[in-house]
Amino acid sequence: MTWTLRAAGLADLSLIPDEGYAVLGYDLGFPEIRAVTDLNADGDGETDLTQYFGARVVTLEVRVTGTAVERQNRVMTLRRYMAPNLRVELLWDAGYGPVRMLGRADRFAAVVGEAMTRQVARVGWRVASGLIESQTVTQTVILPGAGAVTGRVYDLEFDRVYPAGSTPGQALINVGGTAPVWPLLRLYGPCTLPDVQIVTSGARWRFAAGGVLTLLAGDWVDIDTYARTVKLNSVTSILQYVAPSTLAWGGFSPGVCDVQFLVTSGGSETTRLEVFHRDSWY
């Protein structure tokens, strides 16, 4: 199993013998339990409303090899991935495929032993989401429903393969793993009064408040289900356009998830909803 560290501004560091590192062992930890309880005022026990996990700490035990100078240099290289402002991707291949965890520095120790001929580093990162995620981002494209799209006419002169979600207005997305997933939904114009729903979780964003929302060609809206933001061109909040009477936040659960995308008018061949998610595990 090969572990690789990746962080902004730094080169990828593979913890392999050819680079002077050997992972002797690792502990994936376990997500903290976010306990929510209230004492029973009229008797024994408590009311337990606990539902969610918190963060986890993953720890690697890494042997550093080479001469004394080489070992010291390699330890210093490893330290660069422990800056608290960095969010480090830990990449490896688990039994269910290439996965990652995203964390920040939590602990570091580099012990010199065996008559100064051996050095072992114990390093840990705190993973805020508590999740192990697929390295691969799954993208699903959904064309708008309600017959609002102006089609294209062309001769098919070669075989074509269309992405998942080519059925107008709906896609059934297979979500793997064991943990809930918070997808990013990216809606591209042109269109008027779009309506996006994750039917299986009851989530909905119907752009029918605060005036008429009309997206031009080249504009997009990001619906970030984890951060609970709705932004035009990834910058300006336009949450005020989402009808409060129908607004509901939610994501995916493992299994088949039903996503629907409707527009009132103004669609064209570029109008679409792109859904991005990573399968996740506890």
Side-chain angles (χ1 to χ4, degrees):
M1 178 185 296
T2 299
W3 288 79
T4 298
L5 309 181
R6 177 174 295 163
L10 299 176
D12 288 2
L13 179 62
S14 293
L15 303 178
I16 57 177
D18 286 349
E19 299 293 335
Y21 304 96
V23 177
L24 302 178
Y26 61 89
D27 180 2
L28 298 181
F30 189 74
E32 300 168 355
I33 304 299
R34 285 173 43 194
V36 180
T37 62
D38 288 315
L39 295 178
N40 186 345
D42 299 319
D44 296 326
E46 60 187 14
T47 301
D48 192 343
L49 303 177
T50 303
Q51 297 185 60
Y52 302 111
F53 284 112
R56 78 199 297 162
V57 175
V58 57
T59 305
L60 304 183
E61 185 172 284
V62 183
R63 180 173 181 174
V64 184
T65 61
T67 67
V69 173
E70 288 173 336
R71 292 198 306 270
Q72 194 61 31
N73 287 338
R74 286 164 181 162
V75 167
M76 294 304 295
T77 296
L78 192 56
R79 283 181 183 271
R80 298 180 66 191
Y81 295 83
M82 307 308 295
N85 63 309
L86 292 180
R87 298 300 175 262
V88 179
E89 280 189 284
L90 312 176
L91 308 171
W92 82 101
D93 196 335
Y96 25 74
V99 294
R100 72 163 202 165
M101 288 191 289
L102 184 66
R104 56 103 171 140
D106 182 79
R107 60 193 61 174
F108 185 93
V111 179
V112 180
E114 293 187 6
M116 306 294 286
T117 63
R118 184 174 183 269
Q119 194 158 7
V120 175
R122 293 181 178 87
V123 290
W125 292 267
R126 185 177 180 84
V127 179
S129 70
L131 298 178
I132 301 169
E133 301 176 312
S134 170
Q135 290 183 27
T136 301
V137 177
T138 299
Q139 178 186 11
T140 305
V141 178
I142 307 174
L143 304 179
V149 175
T150 303
R152 291 173 288 178
V153 178
Y154 48 78
D155 294 328
L156 291 176
E157 298 179 353
F158 53 88
D159 293 336
R160 294 169 181 254
V161 177
Y162 289 93
S166 58
T167 300
Q170 182 184 37
L172 299 178
I173 301 175
N174 291 313
V175 179
T178 61
V181 172
W182 299 98
L184 174 70
L185 311 173
R186 178 165 289 171
L187 162 63
Y188 285 94
C191 64
T192 299
L193 295 176
D195 187 354
V196 178
Q197 299 182 59
I198 303 177
V199 177
T200 42
S201 67
R204 187 177 186 185
W205 302 269
R206 181 171 176 262
F207 292 84
V212 176
L213 176 65
T214 299
L215 290 181
L216 303 177
D219 284 337
W220 69 90
V221 172
D222 279 344
I223 302 172
D224 188 330
T225 61
Y226 182 77
R228 296 196 173 192
T229 58
V230 179
K231 293 185 177 182
L232 178 64
N233 299 333
S234 303
V235 176
T236 305
S237 176
I238 56 169
L239 188 59
Q240 70 271 19
Y241 285 100
V242 181
S245 60
T246 59
L247 174 63
W249 291 94
F252 294 160
S253 295
V256 178
C257 296
D258 183 356
V259 180
Q260 296 185 6
F261 170 42
L262 306 176
V263 298
T264 299
S265 62
S268 78
E269 62 186 39
T270 64
T271 307
R272 65 195 185 278
L273 178 70
E274 296 184 357
V275 183
F276 302 90
H277 83 275
R278 297 178 189 264
D279 294 342
S280 299
W281 295 262
Y282 288 125

